[in-house]
């Protein structure tokens, strides 16, 4: 589902004026099926104005997206203490704010409240709910997906739509119901129209995701799909390369690294069921690791 300003179309007018209905049909076919504003916004006019302003103003300095390693290696603040900005101070204010809030959280519940209070990720403006996590935060295995979809946005819970149902079925086959795993995403709000989250959106959420993993302290971390795997493992390869072998995940505040096994995202498996066989192998590896590790 995509969202858009309804361009002032009210129901009566639509019924009386077929051209307005045509416009609505056109929007629906384009995937815009939700209203996010009371009045229309002329994006062409504002784009023209922005362009002329940009011509007279110096371009703002855009901070480079923070590398996970730079964030990881930065000193972490304790509650109430402002953290030293990672990346030599070149990160955006949003990332610094996220870093401070995440650092001050000393439990998963505190972290959830911190994420809900965070205004530094643009995705929050168009989302219905913050989607923090589901399952058991004490579980030994933690899955990290990409971004909430429409159903997740409605319910405020991750992986409750079609790909979540597949994830549940896959995990049931190795004896893991939701009470035995924990699941979250690398961003906490649904990107409009289910587009991919941008680098800046991921960067703004990453301090919370890292702190989340520190606080949940799973034995095994499972990034689901390419974006989560690349973000968490700090690697450039795609999921086909990254899945199927063990990696190490650590932050400056973990006493020991966590074993990480990336696998295909269930949404991808719904589209490419032939790859379920490889995902099944990954799950067996994960179960073996969990069976071998002490409780
Ligand atoms: N896909 C994801 O990556 N996460 C969700 O929560 C749902 C679908």
């Amino acid at each position: 589902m995509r969202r858009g300003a309804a361009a002032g179309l009210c129901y009566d007018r639509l019924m009386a004026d077929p051209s307005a209905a045509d416009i609505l049909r056109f929007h629906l076919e384009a995937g815009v099926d939700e209203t996010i504003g009371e009045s229309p916004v002329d994006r062409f006019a504002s784009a023209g104005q922005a362009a002329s302003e940009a011509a007279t103003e110096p371009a703002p300095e855009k901070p480079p997206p923070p590398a996970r390693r730079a964030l990881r290696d930065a000193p972490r603040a304790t509650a109430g203490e402002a953290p030293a900005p990672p990346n030599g101070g070149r990160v955006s204010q949003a990332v610094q704010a996220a870093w401070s809030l995440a650092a001050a959280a000393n439990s998963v519940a505190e972290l959830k409240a911190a994420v809900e209070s965070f205004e530094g990720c643009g995705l929050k403006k168009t989302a219905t709910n913050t989607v923090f996590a589901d399952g058991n935060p004490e579980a030994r295995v933690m899955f990290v997906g990409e971004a909430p979809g429409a159903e997740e946005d409605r319910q405020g819970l991750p992986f409750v739509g079609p790909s979540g149902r597949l994830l549940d079925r896959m995990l049931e086959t190795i004896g893991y119901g939701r009470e035995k795993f924990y699941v979250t995403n690398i961003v906490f709000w649904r990107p409009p129209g289910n587009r991919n989250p941008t680098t800046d959106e991921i960067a703004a959420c990453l301090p919370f995701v890292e702190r989340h993993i520190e606080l949940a302290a799973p034995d095994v971390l499972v990034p689901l799909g390419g974006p989560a795997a690349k973000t968490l493992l700090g690697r450039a390869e795609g999921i086909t390369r990254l899945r199927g072998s063990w990696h190490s995940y650590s932050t400056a505040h973990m006493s020991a690294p966590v074993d990480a096994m990336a696998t295909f995202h269930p949404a991808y498996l719904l589209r490419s069921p032939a790859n379920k066989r490889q995902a099944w192998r990954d799950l067996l590896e994960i179960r073996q690791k969990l069976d071998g590790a002490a409780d």
Side-chain angles (χ1 to χ4, degrees):
M1 177 163 52
R2 296 192 195 140
R3 297 154 169 250
L9 300 172
C10 74
Y11 183 78
D12 287 342
R13 188 171 150 233
L14 281 175
M15 292 303 107
D17 179 355
S19 68
D22 285 346
I23 293 169
L24 184 65
R25 199 168 305 111
F26 169 80
H27 278 133
L28 283 170
E29 281 165 9
V32 178
D33 57 2
E34 197 170 320
T35 307
I36 60 168
E38 291 297 324
S39 50
V41 177
D42 185 346
R43 304 272 174 210
F44 292 105
S46 46
Q49 191 185 343
S52 60
E53 278 166 10
T56 52
E57 276 178 20
E61 202 178 311
K62 190 169 182 295
R68 194 185 90 73
R69 191 167 296 280
L71 288 170
R72 188 198 69 190
D73 293 344
R76 171 137 3 241
T78 51
E81 184 190 334
N87 235 2
R90 285 180 292 113
V91 296
S92 72
Q93 282 185 351
V95 175
Q96 284 186 41
W99 193 256
S100 296
L101 282 167
N106 288 313
S107 66
V108 168
E110 282 181 18
L111 187 72
K112 181 172 191 273
V115 169
E116 284 168 347
S117 74
F118 181 58
E119 301 294 337
C121 179
L123 293 175
K124 190 177 185 182
K125 292 190 179 68
T126 49
T128 307
N129 280 302
T130 299
V131 178
F132 182 68
D134 195 26
N136 179 359
E138 315 257 298
R140 295 172 59 208
V141 57
M142 180 171 182
F143 291 84
V144 185
E146 182 180 345
E151 196 52 41
E152 288 78 15
D153 183 48
R154 256 191 295 275
Q155 293 192 35
L157 291 170
F159 284 99
V160 288
S163 59
R165 284 192 284 281
L166 177 59
L167 182 68
D168 285 341
R169 281 202 305 277
M170 285 162 57
L171 285 164
E172 271 158 22
T173 63
I174 61 160
Y176 278 72
R178 279 211 181 194
E179 75 294 345
K180 279 184 89 175
F181 68 89
Y182 193 44
V183 63
T184 183
N185 285 302
I186 53 167
V187 298
F188 301 99
W189 298 275
R190 180 196 180 208
N194 288 349
R195 65 161 169 77
N196 295 332
T198 66
T199 311
D200 284 350
E201 289 158 356
I202 294 174
C205 294
L206 190 58
F208 296 110
V209 177
E210 293 206 358
R211 188 75 184 128
H212 206 172
I213 298 167
E214 286 173 5
L215 291 168
D219 290 336
V220 171
L221 178 70
V222 186
L224 293 168
K230 289 181 195 183
T231 302
L232 296 178
L233 303 178
R235 300 276 293 264
E237 300 98 308
I239 188 65
T240 311
R241 285 275 174 92
L242 292 174
R243 62 149 289 278
S245 52
W246 287 103
H247 302 265
S248 234
Y249 176 86
S250 60
T251 71
H253 294 264
M254 284 180 169
S255 51
V258 179
D259 290 317
M261 164 76 73
T263 192
F264 290 123
H265 194 287
Y268 171 73
L269 295 174
L270 285 172
R271 295 193 302 274
S272 313
N275 289 298
K276 282 184 185 170
R277 180 207 293 245
Q278 285 166 296
W280 170 243
R281 275 199 213 121
D282 299 341
L283 287 186
L284 291 181
E285 276 278 342
I286 291 164
R287 190 180 64 180
Q288 218 169 11
K289 178 74 80 181
L290 289 167
D291 287 350
D295 252 323

